[in-house]
Amino acid sequence: MPKPTFLNLEERKRKRITYAFLREFAVRSYDEASLTVVVKQLGIAKGSVYQYFDDKLDLFLYLIGECARVKQDYIASIKREDYPDYWSYFRELFKRGCQFDAENPLQSHFLHNLTQNLNSPSIKNIFDEMMSQTVAAFEQMVEQEVQAGLFRPDVPVKTMGFLLYKIGVSIQEQLEVTGAINPAESIENNQSVYQGKKEILLQTVDEYIRLARGAFDRNEAPSAFGISPVGETS
Amino acid sequence: MPKPTFLNLEERKRKRITYAFLREFAVRSYDEASLTVVVKQLGIAKGSVYQYFDDKLDLFLYLIGECARVKQDYIASIKREDYPDYWSYFRELFKRGCQFDAENPLQSHFLHNLTQNLNSPSIKNIFDEMMSQTVAAFEQMVEQEVQAGLFRPDVPVKTMGFLLYKIGVSIQEQLEVTGAINPAESIENNQSVYQGKKEILLQTVDEYIRLARGAFDRNEAPSAFGISPVGETS
Amino acid sequence: MPKPTFLNLEERKRKRITYAFLREFAVRSYDEASLTVVVKQLGIAKGSVYQYFDDKLDLFLYLIGECARVKQDYIASIKREDYPDYWSYFRELFKRGCQFDAENPLQSHFLHNLTQNLNSPSIKNIFDEMMSQTVAAFEQMVEQEVQAGLFRPDVPVKTMGFLLYKIGVSIQEQLEVTGAINPAESIENNQSVYQGKKEILLQTVDEYIRLARGAFDRNEAPSAFGISPVGETS
Amino acid sequence: MPKPTFLNLEERKRKRITYAFLREFAVRSYDEASLTVVVKQLGIAKGSVYQYFDDKLDLFLYLIGECARVKQDYIASIKREDYPDYWSYFRELFKRGCQFDAENPLQSHFLHNLTQNLNSPSIKNIFDEMMSQTVAAFEQMVEQEVQAGLFRPDVPVKTMGFLLYKIGVSIQEQLEVTGAINPAESIENNQSVYQGKKEILLQTVDEYIRLARGAFDRNEAPSAFGISPVGETS
DNA sequence: CATGAATGAGGCTTCATTCAT
DNA sequence: TATGAATGAAGCCTCATTCAT
């Protein structure tokens, strides 16, 4: 939690500082990120950072909180009940994610880099909990769909929830591995993560959805009935 | 590549050294791992390490190679053609992986930690390539299944390959996130990663396979139509 | 270039540090010089050096720059056009050099040791360029004298320039080889390089000048012909 | 002085070892040269070197002695009395030096690199003495010429001797600074120092001789007499 | 509230030399 | 006589954090 010293800062300065650190943590992992470097860029005293935050971790957690809050604003309004099935809802999440990315490039980069950041032992505990929460959220979604008879009931919710979470992550990773997006490069050029790549992102989302439907949706056997009644009736 | 000095070492000593470093790299990431610490544990001179290996990276790559080689011995004999479908083949891979884990706990821990290790910038390039190769291998498997008419043709091989790769990873991760396994703790107690957890691992594999079937397998319903109805009714 | 941290240091401290390093580099070559040793002498933390300078090379270049600047102040005001011939100008350079030596013993020692320092591979490139510039400066001087009809035109400027440069160096070296001066010892006793040796230095300079006149000056015999004989006889 | 162990070695092996170390010391300075590296190249045990020589210095001095001996064989037969003046003798020294270079490239490279090697503190004492001897030899030559009435008597022999020595050195250095020769490169290509550069070397020698004549030769004033008798007779 | 110099542990790496076999 | 593994001091450099001003 930042100290009052930081919160009382003139907004301009507070944002300047926040952005500089976001940029650093968007490019390097927690352990690699160097306060020294950022402080030099900012032209502020090293000691100041310790007037604002308890330590490196405190600062880092603040940044996570801020970015999560901003992204949440984009996503919170998307309600499952406004969509006919889970997958159109799922797709919408990515669409809004794109909007968030375009309007908050630095925050988007920061969160993006976060995903590949689960190791640094200094923060392992914290990350584990964060991930647990995220996974739990997906489990809950799955639970709802199962209850509604839309997702298959024959696989534990835990497993489906985790795979669903992983599918979300995979979409980003695949784009990165195949070179469709290049965060390291785009942040260098002051571009957002998905700048000019919205189409390919959504296309990939659709491909994954096609696969996921087969995996998660309740088997349409009854409808198959309607298709091949002959064999059955005979 | 280790220097002859290392290879000529008395086997007992060579193994003692290898194991000590495996242990370190199984617990810490490449950049965090400290040669100094291990050397102190071993009670050997720091300089000795540099008689054995060119540098830290050389040592690390040797460990990767050794572990991969050992694991390969367990897996290489599993041939796709010996199994009726991809998924029984897939399952067998995990079964043998379990055996490898039980019989080579340290190597298994090392490889396990490797997965969560993609960041260390000193070795990012090397890791990226390793992962690319792994992903490519999965793509190739998918390609084969598609050719054989067993996997669906309406989703790009690249996407299916990547998801398949991710499913493999997810199984391990889910067990870790849910607390079913706890590598950090088990290595402390000189236990293998999956010690006493073989059942739950395979059960989870089966769950994922059930999901994956729906996602990847060619939907047989329509084709069943053309092939049999007539014959059935007659 | 030193970091602001160093420049903002209290002058007393800054000088103390500068002098300690000057002393080290005046006695040892770049590669042999040990920051660790100096830091211990100074009683400051090793890390401090890296708050002041980027690295060892940065520190070294700073020292070169400082000493060169100081020496330049002594020499810059000497203009060729104020002297009837090159050699009286040349002699004056050494006289002022002596003054610089007396008033800045440590800097003088440092620069003196620099000359014998062309090897250290870490800085070979930098040194090669420095020497090239110095040689070029001598070439230019020679060129001017040739243009003015004062130096002989029948030997390439390159060769004369290089020899002239070497003569300057030789004067110092001869005194050292013959034991007239002993930098290693004099720095130990906090004496300047040429302390109490000004006379012998200038005497040696004069000897070299006498030799150099024969080598470089245009032979006046023929020209004496056209100018005077007639006028003299009349 | 090498130990008997070395001298008793089969000649082929002894030469192989000698050459490998010559090569190393021809490329690196004494302090930079690494026994470890050479021993690896040779494929012999590190300990062997210490069976052959007391230590690094002992080995180095042996190499100096060997090379000096070989070069001496080329030069010793050149007698001053066989030449009309010092400078034709001087020129011959370089010609034979060229022959030595062509027929013993490695030794030539080694000796060449030696010149730029006066710093390494580990061997400073030894080098100082070597140089003193060389300088003394030149002094003696100068002394003889002065006695013979061929060199000017109005400048101390010490100074003329030293400059003469320096001129010899300068010739080599100038060729290197101007890029006419490139030892570092030529040794890489298994070429001798002056391979294909004999002409430019001798040409440079001639230029230096032209300068040196003016500097060292007794003033020819009397001969000027014969040129401008008019003014004198009137 | 800001400053920024000081800290010092810890990191990897190199090398000549020794000594038991 | 040859081997080659072991040594360990010394080197440069990084970084989060502290604290006096």
Side-chain angles (χ1 to χ4, degrees):
Chain A
M1 223 173 33
K3 301 183 182 176
T5 326
F6 181 66
L7 301 172
N8 294 339
L9 234 45
E10 183 206 354
E11 182 173 341
R12 255 181 69 82
K13 182 167 189 181
R14 202 176 65 236
K15 283 208 167 169
R16 213 170 74 83
I17 293 175
T18 304
Y19 279 34
F21 280 108
L22 275 179
R23 208 183 162 84
E24 175 72 4
F25 284 112
V27 166
R28 281 174 243 298
S29 83
Y30 177 77
D31 279 336
E32 300 152 20
S34 162
L35 303 191
T36 311
V37 166
V38 177
V39 151
K40 214 176 285 169
Q41 283 171 10
L42 283 170
I44 67 171
K46 219 168 188 176
S48 294
V49 176
Y50 289 84
Q51 301 272 8
Y52 304 150
F53 301 94
D54 289 333
D55 50 23
K56 195 184 184 182
L57 183 57
D58 187 31
L59 158 60
F60 189 60
L61 293 180
Y62 167 74
L63 296 177
I64 292 182
E66 282 306 288
C67 291
R69 206 173 46 67
V70 173
K71 180 156 192 188
Q72 200 55 23
D73 287 349
Y74 282 79
I75 284 178
S77 62
I78 312 177
K79 304 289 179 202
R80 170 65 180 87
E81 55 261 34
D82 298 339
Y83 298 86
D85 58 17
Y86 181 78
W87 306 109
S88 45
Y89 165 72
F90 184 79
R91 192 177 198 276
E92 187 64 19
L93 289 176
F94 276 86
K95 263 180 91 171
R96 286 288 177 85
C98 262
Q99 195 188 342
F100 162 75
D101 174 69
E103 295 172 5
N104 309 272
L106 221 42
Q107 284 84 346
S108 178
H109 271 292
F110 175 83
L111 291 178
H112 195 90
N113 197 51
L114 218 52
T115 318
Q116 309 184 344
N117 214 355
L118 320 145
N119 338 24
S120 303
S122 335
I123 52 172
K124 183 132 180 50
N125 299 336
I126 291 153
F127 258 93
D128 283 357
E129 199 188 349
M130 279 183 55
M131 209 171 84
S132 290
Q133 285 180 13
T134 308
V135 170
F138 277 98
E139 272 179 34
Q140 207 173 358
M141 293 181 197
V142 168
E143 175 72 34
Q144 276 185 17
E145 302 298 320
V146 172
Q147 297 284 349
L150 297 173
F151 276 11
R152 63 198 296 171
D154 62 335
V155 171
V157 166
K158 259 204 157 33
T159 296
M160 287 199 284
F162 196 80
L163 182 55
L164 194 49
Y165 157 70
K166 271 296 168 186
I167 283 177
V169 173
S170 296
I171 291 169
Q172 297 185 0
E173 282 186 28
Q174 186 186 339
L175 291 177
E176 204 164 336
V177 167
T178 58
I181 64 173
N182 187 337
E185 203 175 82
S186 60
I187 197 174
E188 205 67 33
N189 305 332
N190 289 314
Q191 296 180 344
S192 78
V193 179
Y194 295 105
Q195 191 150 332
K197 310 291 179 178
K198 191 176 170 183
E199 292 317 312
I200 193 171
L201 168 65
L202 291 180
Q203 181 189 321
T204 307
V205 169
D206 286 335
E207 289 168 15
Y208 272 87
I209 287 178
R210 221 174 303 158
L211 292 169
R213 277 184 184 282
F216 293 87
D217 284 1
R218 190 184 192 117
N219 197 331
E220 304 293 341
S223 75
F225 252 117
I227 295 174
S228 65
V230 182
E232 298 282 336
T233 52
S234 69
Chain B
M1 228 172 30
K3 302 184 184 178
T5 318
F6 182 66
L7 301 174
N8 295 340
L9 235 46
E10 183 204 354
E11 182 173 341
R12 251 182 69 82
K13 183 165 190 182
R14 201 176 65 236
K15 284 211 167 167
R16 210 171 74 85
I17 292 175
T18 305
Y19 280 33
F21 280 109
L22 275 179
R23 214 186 157 82
E24 175 74 4
F25 283 112
V27 166
R28 278 173 247 298
S29 84
Y30 176 78
D31 278 335
E32 298 147 18
S34 162
L35 303 192
T36 310
V37 166
V38 177
V39 149
K40 247 174 233 166
Q41 284 171 10
L42 283 169
I44 67 172
K46 221 173 187 173
S48 293
V49 178
Y50 289 85
Q51 298 273 26
Y52 304 150
F53 301 93
D54 286 333
D55 49 24
K56 193 185 185 181
L57 182 57
D58 187 32
L59 158 59
F60 188 61
L61 293 181
Y62 167 73
L63 296 178
I64 291 182
E66 281 307 286
C67 292
R69 206 174 46 68
V70 174
K71 181 156 191 187
Q72 197 57 20
D73 288 349
Y74 283 80
I75 284 180
S77 61
I78 313 176
K79 305 287 181 205
R80 168 66 179 89
E81 56 260 34
D82 298 338
Y83 297 85
D85 59 19
Y86 181 79
W87 306 109
S88 44
Y89 166 72
F90 184 80
R91 189 178 199 275
E92 187 63 19
L93 290 175
F94 276 87
K95 260 181 94 170
R96 289 284 179 85
C98 258
Q99 195 188 340
F100 161 75
D101 175 70
E103 295 171 5
N104 310 272
L106 221 41
Q107 284 84 343
S108 179
H109 270 292
F110 174 83
L111 291 178
H112 195 88
N113 197 51
L114 217 53
T115 319
Q116 310 185 343
N117 215 357
L118 318 143
N119 328 30
S120 300
S122 332
I123 50 171
K124 184 132 179 47
N125 297 336
I126 291 159
F127 257 93
D128 281 358
E129 201 190 347
M130 281 182 55
M131 207 174 86
S132 289
Q133 286 181 12
T134 307
V135 170
F138 277 97
E139 270 179 36
Q140 209 176 355
M141 293 181 194
V142 168
E143 174 73 33
Q144 276 185 16
E145 302 298 321
V146 171
Q147 298 283 350
L150 299 172
F151 276 12
R152 61 198 296 173
D154 62 334
V155 171
V157 166
K158 258 206 154 38
T159 296
M160 286 199 285
F162 197 81
L163 181 57
L164 192 51
Y165 158 70
K166 272 296 168 185
I167 283 176
V169 174
S170 295
I171 291 169
Q172 297 185 358
E173 282 187 28
Q174 185 187 339
L175 292 177
E176 202 164 340
V177 168
T178 58
I181 64 174
N182 187 337
E185 202 173 83
S186 60
I187 197 175
E188 206 66 34
N189 304 333
N190 288 316
Q191 296 179 344
S192 79
V193 179
Y194 295 106
Q195 191 149 332
K197 309 290 179 179
K198 189 176 171 184
E199 292 317 312
I200 191 170
L201 169 65
L202 290 179
Q203 181 189 321
T204 307
V205 169
D206 286 335
E207 289 167 15
Y208 271 87
I209 287 178
R210 219 174 303 158
L211 293 171
R213 275 184 185 282
F216 293 86
D217 284 1
R218 188 182 195 121
N219 195 334
E220 303 292 339
S223 73
F225 234 127
I227 295 172
S228 50
V230 182
E232 298 282 338
T233 53
S234 68
Chain C
M1 229 173 26
K3 302 184 184 176
T5 319
F6 182 66
L7 302 173
N8 296 341
L9 234 46
E10 185 203 355
E11 183 174 340
R12 252 181 70 82
K13 182 163 192 182
R14 201 177 65 237
K15 285 210 166 167
R16 209 170 77 84
I17 292 175
T18 305
Y19 280 33
F21 280 110
L22 275 179
R23 214 185 157 83
E24 175 73 2
F25 283 112
V27 166
R28 278 174 246 296
S29 83
Y30 176 78
D31 277 336
E32 298 147 17
S34 162
L35 302 192
T36 310
V37 167
V38 177
V39 150
K40 249 175 231 167
Q41 283 171 10
L42 283 170
I44 66 173
K46 218 173 189 173
S48 293
V49 177
Y50 291 85
Q51 298 273 24
Y52 304 151
F53 301 94
D54 287 333
D55 50 24
K56 194 185 185 182
L57 183 57
D58 187 33
L59 159 58
F60 188 60
L61 293 180
Y62 167 74
L63 295 178
I64 292 182
E66 280 308 284
C67 292
R69 206 173 48 67
V70 174
K71 181 157 190 185
Q72 198 56 22
D73 287 348
Y74 283 80
I75 283 178
S77 61
I78 312 177
K79 304 287 179 202
R80 169 64 181 89
E81 56 260 33
D82 298 338
Y83 297 85
D85 59 16
Y86 181 78
W87 306 109
S88 42
Y89 165 73
F90 185 78
R91 190 179 200 274
E92 188 63 20
L93 289 176
F94 277 86
K95 262 179 91 170
R96 287 287 177 83
C98 259
Q99 196 189 339
F100 162 74
D101 175 69
E103 296 171 5
N104 309 274
L106 221 43
Q107 285 84 346
S108 179
H109 271 292
F110 174 83
L111 290 178
H112 196 87
N113 197 52
L114 217 52
T115 319
Q116 310 185 343
N117 216 355
L118 318 145
N119 327 29
S120 300
S122 334
I123 52 170
K124 183 132 180 49
N125 297 337
I126 290 159
F127 257 93
D128 282 358
E129 201 189 349
M130 281 183 57
M131 209 174 86
S132 289
Q133 285 181 12
T134 308
V135 169
F138 276 98
E139 269 179 37
Q140 207 174 357
M141 291 181 195
V142 167
E143 175 73 33
Q144 275 185 17
E145 302 297 322
V146 171
Q147 298 283 350
L150 298 172
F151 275 12
R152 61 195 301 171
D154 62 335
V155 172
V157 166
K158 260 207 153 38
T159 296
M160 288 200 283
F162 198 79
L163 181 56
L164 192 51
Y165 158 70
K166 271 296 170 186
I167 283 176
V169 174
S170 295
I171 291 169
Q172 299 184 357
E173 283 187 27
Q174 185 187 339
L175 292 176
E176 204 164 337
V177 168
T178 59
I181 64 172
N182 188 337
E185 202 173 85
S186 60
I187 199 175
E188 207 65 36
N189 304 333
N190 288 316
Q191 295 179 343
S192 79
V193 179
Y194 295 106
Q195 192 149 331
K197 309 292 180 178
K198 189 178 171 184
E199 292 316 312
I200 192 171
L201 168 65
L202 291 179
Q203 181 189 320
T204 306
V205 169
D206 286 336
E207 291 168 13
Y208 272 86
I209 287 178
R210 221 174 301 157
L211 292 170
R213 275 185 185 283
F216 292 86
D217 284 0
R218 189 184 195 121
N219 194 334
E220 302 294 339
S223 73
F225 231 128
I227 296 174
S228 49
V230 183
E232 298 283 338
T233 52
S234 68
Chain D
M1 224 167 40
K3 301 183 183 176
T5 325
F6 182 66
L7 301 173
N8 294 339
L9 233 47
E10 182 206 356
E11 182 174 341
R12 254 181 70 82
K13 182 167 189 182
R14 202 176 64 236
K15 282 209 168 170
R16 212 170 75 83
I17 293 175
T18 305
Y19 280 34
F21 280 109
L22 275 179
R23 210 185 160 84
E24 174 74 3
F25 284 113
V27 166
R28 281 174 244 298
S29 84
Y30 176 79
D31 279 336
E32 299 150 21
S34 163
L35 303 191
T36 312
V37 167
V38 177
V39 150
K40 214 174 289 170
Q41 283 171 9
L42 282 170
I44 67 172
K46 220 167 184 176
S48 295
V49 177
Y50 289 84
Q51 302 270 10
Y52 303 150
F53 301 94
D54 289 333
D55 50 23
K56 194 184 185 182
L57 183 57
D58 187 32
L59 158 60
F60 188 60
L61 292 181
Y62 167 73
L63 295 177
I64 292 182
E66 282 306 286
C67 291
R69 206 171 47 66
V70 173
K71 180 157 192 186
Q72 198 55 25
D73 288 348
Y74 282 79
I75 284 179
S77 62
I78 313 176
K79 303 291 180 200
R80 169 65 179 88
E81 54 261 33
D82 298 337
Y83 299 84
D85 58 17
Y86 180 79
W87 305 111
S88 43
Y89 166 73
F90 183 80
R91 191 176 199 276
E92 188 64 20
L93 290 175
F94 276 86
K95 264 179 90 171
R96 287 287 177 84
C98 261
Q99 197 189 339
F100 162 75
D101 174 69
E103 295 171 4
N104 309 272
L106 220 42
Q107 285 83 346
S108 178
H109 271 292
F110 175 82
L111 292 178
H112 196 89
N113 197 50
L114 218 53
T115 320
Q116 310 184 346
N117 215 353
L118 320 145
N119 335 26
S120 301
S122 334
I123 51 171
K124 182 132 181 51
N125 299 334
I126 289 153
F127 257 94
D128 283 358
E129 199 189 348
M130 280 184 54
M131 208 170 86
S132 289
Q133 285 179 14
T134 308
V135 170
F138 277 97
E139 272 180 33
Q140 208 174 356
M141 293 180 196
V142 168
E143 176 72 33
Q144 275 185 18
E145 302 299 320
V146 171
Q147 296 286 348
L150 297 172
F151 275 13
R152 61 198 300 173
D154 62 333
V155 171
V157 166
K158 259 204 155 36
T159 296
M160 286 199 286
F162 196 81
L163 182 56
L164 194 50
Y165 159 70
K166 269 297 168 186
I167 283 175
V169 175
S170 295
I171 291 169
Q172 298 184 358
E173 282 188 27
Q174 186 186 338
L175 291 177
E176 204 164 338
V177 168
T178 59
I181 64 173
N182 187 337
E185 204 173 82
S186 60
I187 198 173
E188 206 66 34
N189 305 333
N190 289 316
Q191 298 180 342
S192 77
V193 180
Y194 294 106
Q195 192 149 332
K197 309 291 178 177
K198 190 176 170 184
E199 293 316 311
I200 193 171
L201 168 64
L202 291 179
Q203 181 189 320
T204 307
V205 169
D206 287 335
E207 289 168 13
Y208 272 87
I209 286 178
R210 219 174 302 158
L211 292 170
R213 276 185 184 283
F216 292 87
D217 284 2
R218 192 187 192 114
N219 195 332
E220 304 291 342
S223 76
F225 252 117
I227 294 175
S228 66
V230 184
E232 299 284 337
T233 52
S234 68

